[in-house]
Amino acid sequence: MASGNTLTTTADPLPGFEWGDKSTQAFYNALWPHDNIRFLEASVGEPPALRKFIETLSTDDEWLGSNPTEESSMDIDSLDEEGDEAQCGDKNEPAPFINLKTHSVLVFEELHNEVVLHGDRATMIVRDEYPLFMEHAISCLRNRGNTLDNQWLVRFFVTGQSGIGKTFGAYYILFYLLASGQPVLFIPSPDVAYFFSAIGLGLIDVGEGDWHPPSILKTARCVPTMKRFLKYFGAQRWFMKAWTNKEIAAATLRRFDTGGPIARSLFDAPPPPSPDKYIQNALAGNIFGSGLLNGDGERVFLIQPLAVFDGVSGRVSFQRTDYRAEYLSVHIAHKMFELAQGHLERLQGQLPAAISIHTTRSVAGKLLEAMMHHTLIRHIVQLPAVFGTEHIVGTLQLVGKATNFVSRPERIDDRPLYLQPESLNFTGVDAIIVTDTKICLFQTSQYTPNFGMMLRIIARLPGGAKVALHGINEVLYCLIGVDCYRVQALVAEAKRTLEDLQRLDPHQLCEALDMRETNIATHQRLSTFRVIGYTFHYQHGFTSV
């Protein structure tokens, strides 16, 4: 992202460059502001020269259900930049897009492929991620200072899951900078480079010229490349989120408007292959290693910006310089758990390291819970003595979010009963066991306790899962791990948090848990909570810490 002064007019655009042809000049003329206003220095938001090409589309995304990307599906307020709260927008907020067929002047380089592939339906969805990144980048540009030590603050390596729109994001950034009157060097491939400035558009054929881009730009995306890139350019990372329901609905509706309810019109890409081969290949090595970001891992895991939960406020912040892994879908997660049964010994050895780091804690913790359920339901291991019984008799799947789940099957009257959330975003707990007198809330992947959400889940059980609460006199918050010392530390921390909450009166508790209201019954329910901890081994079962 260049930030130099406007160049002085010369006979040539740059040494070794030629002037662009008519079509590329038309592209330049459509976006470059001719009033000589440097937009990045004068305003915020999208520059008018770009905004005029952007339309909006009203969407209904209810039919899409739960999505790992949706902040609302996490049942917690979200923050979308490091340290700054971002309010969740209206669920019916229109989705912005650029009609590439109508605005053919913007069809530049790789965007031609979109027109060839989709014709009248060629659309560039302007993902919320794109202007969000530009706001962050411009903020860094304005606040960097003038010292050379701060130059890395305005260099970015934008990365994330394959196929989530990083290429379109690059063209949006190009559009934005051109419409802002900002000189840009754009290298769409190792063979060609464009230079845009106030004097026009310069083009160089790298194969015939003396100028060459750094060789690192010719390398495919992978973890080693990212590390070399960051070192070479002194840049900061920015992880892009996967698509939201609003964006998916907008892309689908754009095709529906022109193609109608015809499957080929809506879904003209070939279906993804079965994940079995990729899961088996990943399981053959260290599934939680660097393969997460490339190769077979891209067919199994979803890479998202790191979400950090604040147990006191119940809010999440996204740290864009780091990432976390989730399973791509519920189906793939279940397939992973099924195929993992043949690799339990190796996985048991990999879990301590995977659970100890934030990037893999979620996927490793969910796998640990699946191992726990698998061995309990088959009576391979026994429940801890604190439950007063040895074996569970049935399983209910909790379908939906933590605040609106229902059970499948509808009900099972026998106990002890294992309640297993299906959603990858189910917050507060990873599993629940209900006996005649106790509720045990298991956590294997979310190690910061959210007692407010736990109370909401318990209150939902009678209506959502047809699980009666009469006779329940104790709630066990049970932390499960594979490293004894780690679990001990987590238990001690959770006990301190719980004791602090239990000292509060109902009004104070309402404020502390960020709940609309807490009645006497809720306050009394929290008084029955107790924190315990166990390590788990697929052969030896539970060991108290």
Side-chain angles (χ1 to χ4, degrees):
M1 179 174 165
S3 58
N5 296 324
T6 303
L7 299 181
T8 303
T9 302
T10 59
D12 297 313
L14 274 181
F17 281 69
E18 301 175 354
W19 294 113
D21 59 22
K22 290 184 178 180
S23 63
T24 50
Q25 285 292 164
F27 166 70
Y28 164 86
N29 290 333
L31 287 167
W32 192 272
H34 299 289
D35 51 12
N36 294 320
I37 294 178
R38 299 291 297 278
F39 181 79
L40 296 189
E41 299 171 1
S43 184
V44 294
E46 286 169 328
L50 171 58
R51 198 180 305 130
K52 66 183 180 183
F53 292 106
I54 297 178
E55 305 171 58
T56 59
L57 184 68
S58 297
T59 60
D60 177 7
D61 59 15
E62 289 295 315
W63 56 277
L64 282 166
S66 180
N67 180 341
T69 305
E70 295 292 311
E71 291 91 348
S72 59
S73 70
M74 300 176 75
D75 294 313
I76 42 186
D77 295 327
S78 68
L79 294 98
D80 223 344
E81 286 193 88
E82 295 188 39
D84 296 322
E85 183 172 357
Q87 301 294 332
C88 291
D90 186 338
K91 62 186 296 182
N92 296 318
E93 181 182 355
F97 72 96
I98 297 174
N99 186 330
L100 295 177
K101 188 66 175 180
T102 301
H103 304 297
S104 58
V105 70
L106 298 185
V107 179
F108 181 60
E109 281 288 329
E110 291 176 272
L111 296 182
H112 285 285
N113 297 334
E114 181 72 10
V115 176
V116 171
L117 185 61
H118 299 299
D120 291 342
R121 295 173 283 130
T123 302
M124 177 176 166
I125 300 296
V126 180
R127 300 197 54 212
D128 293 342
E129 292 289 286
Y130 303 160
L132 177 66
F133 167 73
M134 288 307 301
E135 290 172 15
H136 174 75
I138 293 169
S139 175
C140 291
L141 183 68
R142 289 172 174 165
N143 300 319
R144 63 174 172 166
N146 296 319
T147 65
L148 292 176
D149 292 340
N150 292 334
Q151 296 307 302
W152 68 274
L153 291 173
V154 291
R155 302 189 187 107
F156 302 93
F157 184 90
V158 180
T159 185
Q161 189 83 9
S162 291
I164 61 170
K166 296 187 297 295
T167 298
F168 273 6
Y171 283 91
Y172 176 86
I173 294 171
L174 174 63
F175 294 172
Y176 193 111
L177 294 175
L178 290 181
S180 301
Q182 184 75 9
V184 186
L185 180 64
F186 185 70
I187 310 174
S189 73
D191 301 320
V192 66
Y194 296 90
F195 182 73
F196 302 88
S197 73
I199 61 172
L201 164 65
L203 166 68
I204 186 169
D205 186 332
V206 176
E208 298 180 0
D210 295 329
W211 182 88
H212 297 276
S215 60
I216 196 159
L217 298 179
K218 303 179 182 181
T219 312
R221 184 187 71 87
C222 61
V223 175
T225 298
M226 179 171 64
K227 292 179 178 177
R228 291 198 301 270
F229 184 99
L230 296 174
K231 182 177 180 181
Y232 185 97
F233 289 103
Q236 57 173 306
R237 295 188 295 185
W238 177 275
F239 280 90
M240 188 179 289
K241 290 195 298 184
W243 282 50
T244 64
N245 282 356
K246 179 188 76 173
E247 293 163 344
I248 296 170
T252 306
L253 189 57
R254 272 285 299 149
R255 294 189 180 190
F256 182 87
D257 284 345
T258 54
I262 307 301
R264 184 178 298 169
S265 298
L266 294 173
F267 313 110
D268 54 4
S274 168
D276 292 34
K277 178 183 71 172
Y278 303 101
I279 294 174
Q280 290 284 22
N281 290 343
L283 286 168
N286 184 352
I287 193 170
F288 307 114
S290 60
L292 282 172
L293 291 177
N294 45 268
D296 297 313
E298 290 185 347
R299 300 284 189 175
V300 181
F301 300 108
L302 174 66
I303 301 303
Q304 294 277 60
L306 177 63
V308 179
F309 176 69
D310 185 334
V312 176
S313 66
R315 300 179 186 276
V316 159
S317 61
F318 289 103
Q319 293 186 3
R320 297 292 186 144
T321 56
D322 211 340
Y323 71 94
R324 75 188 193 280
E326 287 289 355
Y327 295 103
L328 268 176
S329 68
V330 171
H331 170 74
I332 288 178
H334 288 171
K335 182 62 68 172
M336 165 69 78
F337 304 153
E338 173 189 328
L339 297 177
Q341 303 310 315
H343 304 268
L344 292 181
E345 187 65 33
R346 181 188 297 114
L347 290 170
Q348 186 76 48
Q350 295 172 357
L351 283 173
I355 289 179
S356 67
I357 56 177
H358 53 251
T359 54
T360 51
R361 181 174 298 137
S362 179
V363 290
K366 288 180 173 65
L367 182 58
L368 177 62
E369 183 277 323
M371 292 168 60
M372 186 175 73
H373 176 257
H374 176 85
T375 53
L376 281 171
I377 200 68
R378 290 165 176 76
H379 298 177
I380 298 171
V381 301
Q382 298 179 356
L383 288 169
V386 70
F387 288 86
T389 184
E390 294 182 349
H391 302 295
I392 60 175
V393 298
T395 300
L396 283 179
Q397 296 289 330
L398 301 182
V399 181
K401 300 186 293 185
T403 53
N404 64 6
F405 62 82
V406 294
S407 60
R408 189 175 57 205
E410 185 175 345
R411 66 184 299 159
I412 298 176
D413 293 325
D414 295 332
R415 298 188 183 184
L417 192 60
Y418 195 106
L419 310 182
Q420 189 176 44
E422 182 181 66
S423 171
L424 300 176
N425 292 342
F426 201 95
T427 57
V429 301
D430 292 296
I432 305 170
I433 289 181
V434 182
T435 72
D436 291 330
T437 60
K438 302 179 191 298
I439 294 176
C440 183
L441 307 173
F442 286 97
Q443 282 208 321
T444 59
S445 67
Q446 308 168 59
Y447 282 158
T448 303
N450 186 343
F451 289 106
M453 186 57 67
M454 294 180 213
L455 289 167
R456 294 183 182 97
I457 291 170
I458 293 173
R460 176 72 185 169
L461 287 176
K466 304 299 187 292
V467 173
L469 301 181
H470 58 267
I472 300 296
N473 56 36
E474 187 174 32
V475 178
L476 303 174
Y477 172 53
C478 184
L479 288 153
I480 303 293
V482 289
D483 179 270
C484 174
Y485 298 108
R486 172 66 172 158
V487 176
Q488 284 178 342
L490 292 169
V491 168
E493 182 179 352
K495 282 183 176 179
R496 288 191 295 269
T497 301
L498 178 59
E499 289 169 358
D500 290 341
L501 292 172
Q502 288 174 333
R503 295 190 189 100
L504 303 178
D505 61 36
H507 177 72
Q508 293 170 325
L509 187 64
C510 176
E511 292 186 349
L513 297 180
D514 197 24
M515 300 175 73
R516 291 187 180 91
E517 61 180 24
T518 58
N519 53 34
I520 299 299
T522 302
H523 190 261
Q524 289 176 342
R525 178 69 72 192
L526 187 65
S527 69
T528 68
F529 273 55
R530 179 159 64 98
V531 179
I532 57 177
Y534 294 89
T535 57
F536 180 80
H537 190 281
Y538 78 99
Q539 289 178 320
H540 310 311
F542 298 91
T543 302
S544 176
V545 298

